[in-house]
Amino acid sequence: MKFKKEILCIGAGYVGGPTMAMIAYKCPQYRVNVVDILPEKIAQWNSDALPIYEPGLDEIVQKARGRNLFFTADIEAGIKSADIIFVSVNTPTKTYGVGAGMAADLQYWEKTARQILDCADSSKIIVEKSTLPVKTAQAMERILNSGKYEVQFEVLSNPEFLAEGTAIADLENPDRVLIGSQQTESGLKARDELVAIYANWVAADRIVTSNIWSSELSKLVANAFLAQRISSINSISSLCEKTEADVSEVAKAVGMDTRIGSRFLNASVGFGGSCFKKDIMNLVYLCRHYGLEQEADYWEGVIRINEHQKERFVLNMLTAMFNTLAGKKICLFGFAFKADTGDTRETPALTVAGRLVEENAQVVISDPKALDNARLDTQSIKGDIQFKEDPYEAARGCHAIAIMTEWALYRSLDYEQIFNSMQKPAFIFDGRNITDHDKLFEIGFNVFPIGKPKKVHF
Ligand code: NAD
Ligand code: UGA
């Protein structure tokens, strides 16, 4: 079959894989190739066991793969034959040199720019899908326009707003698709080509166009605002615990104001995930770079509250369990950074596990999808850590359960059976406020929610 255009995506990760699967599924007239430097990852994308768990992903990959969706390790050939190249490589926080711990590490991104430059012998549209600091497109253009061929590159910014666990629903029905371009004739023409792809399934009023710098910045700001809401409600959760107010009631009352809105106000043990912290630190770094110290401090506060919330959770456990955790067996229900994903990047559960081990506790980790990652992540923690997928087995003989991830599974367990198999007094620390605290208390647990009065038998 002759395709209308050929799309390439460099980077077959959490964003590149699902995003391209959706484009291919919705746009059979385009051929979509996805490449990665890791051949084993490409092999997984071509198998029945995809490299990431995402509800609904298997179905759309199965429908499009081999029809107009192809996963391959041949990056050079992919670049040569593409009309449009999405760059969806990782952009983690720098761990070395200037800006370490704050700035984005652009080495993977720059490598792709140079690869495109080396291989491309025809004009192309380059789409920044990765989250990048403002003005990165300028650097991309400068690299690309220093090449040996007489070819033209037009760089667009098209940040991705999907959340893990709901990636397919988010991609199928996005709040908005944002496309930033240079406001030149060729920039606008390239923008329209990208708009035409999304228009296959996204309503016109949800496809927003802007100048390229606004687009790059909007992605960082969206994540900063989302994380800020969580830190805001988490800061209030501490106050609730001191005053016998209930954070869920406060969130409900406050969120019913349509100017505020009800979503993303769930108090928790803290936010995790690969992006919130990194993108806020990136924003903070940008502010400092431009001499905006007050603004930088303001956004850094969101991260400080998040770190504090995790530490507060552990200290609450320590205080509640008679100021010693040494030799006690504590079970973590959930290790993923949120429900419906196996991803554990920046998960609060890792911080909590590490802190519990520092207190000489024995830790048992349970999770329906994230145990492989949990094993890798905890390798550096020297202590007694076990892994058990079955929550009943994991909790057996434990002194306490700490709920780390809001998996639906943990709402409906037989907690009476679990209680009977545990050491007494038995404690439950609900880091996600997902269980029925009254019922758990009636069963016999000492219950410690987030931002709500504790329920104890002594
Ligand atoms: P990821 O680590 O899952 O995937 C990135 C992939 O790029 C990896 O498979 C890596 O091997 C590959 N790669 C790196 N350098 C390469 C190169 N030179 N050539 C070919 N492949 C290369 O990362 P991710 O979670 O998909 O994130 C990608 C970008 O999207 C980041 O900038 C992130 O901030 C942004 N983002 C992520 C999410 C999310 O939910 N994970 C959501 C929105 C935006
Ligand atoms: C987030 C954003 O929601 C996406 O729009 C964005 O594209 C993505 O980051 C990104 O750039 O990577 P994600 O991290 O996958 O998506 O998941 P979220 O649903 O945002 O949850 C992030 C963390 O906040 C999780 O640990 C979650 O449990 C926590 N959270 C979320 C709370 O503690 N309370 C809430 O009310 C909501």
Side-chain angles (χ1 to χ4, degrees):
M1 175 183 165
K2 178 93 185 76
F3 293 104
K4 182 175 168 188
K5 286 261 159 100
E6 197 164 311
I7 293 172
L8 173 73
C9 178
I10 303 181
Y14 282 91
V15 168
T19 313
M20 292 305 123
M22 185 58 72
I23 290 180
Y25 172 58
K26 296 288 185 183
C27 311
Q29 69 275 35
Y30 292 86
R31 180 185 166 108
V32 180
N33 297 318
V34 187
V35 293
D36 203 283
I37 28 167
L38 301 176
E40 61 275 19
K41 200 175 247 188
I42 292 299
Q44 284 177 301
W45 279 109
N46 282 320
S47 76
D48 286 337
L50 301 183
I52 59 175
Y53 170 71
E54 204 48 74
L57 177 64
D58 287 32
E59 288 85 332
I60 63 161
V61 167
Q62 267 160 26
K63 286 199 172 106
R65 197 172 53 193
R67 177 188 75 178
N68 65 328
L69 175 65
F70 301 91
F71 295 93
T72 126
D74 193 344
I75 302 180
E76 194 176 326
I79 292 174
K80 279 198 191 310
S81 59
D83 301 292
I84 301 170
I85 300 179
F86 286 81
V87 179
S88 188
V89 298
N90 37 325
T91 51
T93 303
K94 244 182 125 180
T95 52
Y96 55 90
V98 175
M102 298 184 93
D105 187 343
L106 297 177
Q107 60 168 313
Y108 308 100
W109 166 87
E110 178 166 338
K111 195 164 170 244
T112 59
R114 291 185 183 282
Q115 252 176 324
I116 294 171
L117 179 68
D118 283 346
C119 306
D121 49 13
S122 61
S123 297
K124 294 169 200 306
I125 295 172
I126 311 298
V127 184
E128 294 177 347
K129 197 45 140 170
S130 301
T131 303
L132 294 160
V134 196
K135 294 277 172 178
T136 305
Q138 195 173 48
M140 180 74 122
E141 266 176 0
R142 286 183 181 156
I143 294 174
L144 291 174
N145 290 325
S146 64
K148 54 189 177 197
Y149 299 112
E150 279 297 302
V151 291
Q152 219 206 321
F153 296 99
E154 202 57 57
V155 180
L156 301 175
S157 160
N158 172 220
E160 185 48 61
F161 296 102
L162 68 79
E164 287 177 31
T166 54
I168 298 307
D170 295 341
L171 288 167
E172 192 146 34
N173 189 20
D175 284 348
R176 78 306 207 182
V177 166
L178 177 59
I179 301 173
S181 66
Q182 300 281 19
Q183 302 300 297
T184 56
E185 197 184 327
S186 56
L188 296 175
K189 191 164 164 265
R191 177 199 73 184
D192 290 345
E193 276 209 41
L194 190 53
V195 168
I197 294 175
Y198 284 107
N200 281 285
W201 79 98
V202 180
D205 62 353
R206 296 213 170 180
I207 304 177
V208 183
T209 58
S210 73
N211 89 35
I212 195 159
W213 320 125
S214 311
S215 173
E216 288 178 332
L217 184 57
S218 300
K219 173 63 198 176
L220 297 183
V221 174
N223 273 357
F225 272 50
L226 288 167
Q228 180 200 41
R229 281 175 76 88
I230 304 169
S231 279
S232 296
I233 199 69
N234 280 345
S235 75
I236 299 303
S237 74
S238 316
L239 189 56
C240 288
E241 285 166 32
K242 298 281 182 210
T243 57
E244 290 178 53
D246 178 322
V247 74
S248 302
E249 292 176 355
V250 174
K252 185 174 176 195
V254 171
M256 281 176 81
D257 185 326
T258 51
R259 293 170 302 174
I260 296 172
S262 61
R263 296 179 64 190
F264 250 70
L265 287 179
N266 294 322
S268 67
V269 57
F271 61 74
S274 63
C275 293
F276 278 176
K277 184 173 177 189
K278 118 177 138 56
D279 292 349
I280 292 177
M281 292 319 283
N282 197 337
L283 188 64
V284 168
Y285 186 72
L286 278 170
C287 289
R288 294 215 196 285
H289 173 78
Y290 289 106
L292 305 173
E293 294 298 328
Q294 296 289 336
E295 293 79 351
D297 289 348
Y298 174 76
W299 287 108
E300 209 164 14
V302 173
I303 302 294
R304 276 200 302 273
I305 287 287
N306 199 49
E307 299 302 323
H308 171 66
Q309 188 74 350
K310 290 183 271 185
E311 180 62 16
R312 212 170 67 73
F313 188 79
V314 175
L315 292 181
N316 273 347
M317 291 177 83
L318 182 64
T319 315
M321 295 174 75
F322 318 114
N323 292 309
T324 176
L325 299 176
K328 289 183 178 154
K329 206 168 163 190
I330 299 173
C331 171
L332 301 189
F333 273 3
F335 199 82
F337 81 95
K338 64 182 283 195
D340 294 325
T341 177
D343 193 352
T344 58
R345 292 179 288 180
E346 295 289 339
T347 180
L350 180 60
T351 314
V352 170
R355 290 286 288 107
L356 293 177
V357 166
E358 272 172 34
E359 294 294 334
N360 284 340
Q362 300 170 31
V363 177
V364 186
I365 297 174
S366 189
D367 190 290
K369 292 283 176 198
L371 279 195
D372 288 347
N373 280 335
R375 279 191 191 91
L376 290 173
D377 295 346
T378 51
Q379 266 171 6
S380 58
I381 301 177
K382 297 279 164 276
D384 186 346
I385 303 186
Q386 297 171 44
F387 304 89
K388 289 188 180 154
E389 189 171 328
D390 181 347
Y392 295 97
E393 279 303 309
R396 187 184 303 282
C398 286
H399 296 76
I401 295 169
I403 300 180
M404 294 285 102
T405 312
E406 69 279 27
W407 285 105
L409 160 80
Y410 301 137
R411 295 174 196 269
S412 55
L413 294 174
D414 181 345
Y415 279 101
E416 188 134 23
Q417 184 188 331
I418 289 175
F419 177 79
N420 289 335
S421 75
M422 289 176 66
Q423 302 271 353
K424 306 294 171 335
F427 293 80
I428 191 155
F429 299 89
D430 188 350
R432 297 290 183 167
N433 285 343
I434 54 167
T435 51
D436 182 337
H437 301 142
D438 288 333
K439 199 168 158 203
L440 291 176
F441 179 66
E442 271 170 35
I443 289 173
F445 280 104
N446 297 297
V447 188
F448 291 78
I450 297 273
K452 295 169 189 267
K454 61 186 179 198
K455 295 176 187 296
V456 288
H457 293 280
F458 39 79

